[in-house]
Amino acid sequence: MYTLEQAERLAVDFLRQETEGWDNEVALFDEDELKVKKGEFFYFAFQGVKYLATRDDKYLLYGPTNILVHAVTGECRFLSA
């Protein structure tokens, strides 16, 4: 069973690998309320680095911007709509 901190590291690594070729640099939110465990999954919200730095909506990435990490297996995936 993974802890929140371990799951967050897995999410960061997953995000880095999956977004390597993207035009926008992205990162997880720092706010604790955007890092939660519900049932068998941890949920982590991410957004563009420019948005995180400025909170200016013109830099906001639209669509599902969450990563799920399975609490037992550590499997990561993007949350889809």
Side-chain angles (χ1 to χ4, degrees):
M1 183 74 87
Y2 287 92
T3 66
L4 178 68
E5 292 78 19
Q6 292 168 326
E8 184 174 6
R9 284 194 296 273
L10 291 172
V12 167
D13 290 342
F14 173 79
L15 189 61
R16 184 179 17 243
Q17 290 172 1
E18 294 295 314
T19 63
E20 190 173 333
W22 287 15
D23 291 340
N24 295 315
E25 184 180 358
V26 294
L28 297 182
F29 278 90
D30 285 332
E31 292 86 354
D32 287 340
E33 62 270 9
L34 297 172
K35 304 172 187 179
V36 298
K37 182 175 188 257
K38 298 242 183 194
E40 294 184 359
F41 291 94
F42 291 98
Y43 295 81
F44 299 95
F46 70 92
Q47 199 40 256
V49 170
K50 285 183 181 179
Y51 175 80
L52 294 173
T54 65
R55 302 300 168 135
D56 186 334
D57 287 347
K58 72 181 175 186
Y59 299 119
L60 186 68
L61 299 178
Y62 293 95
T65 55
N66 290 280
I67 296 171
L68 298 148
V69 179
H70 194 274
V72 176
T73 67
E75 177 189 0
C76 299
R77 64 181 184 218
F78 290 116
L79 178 67
S80 60

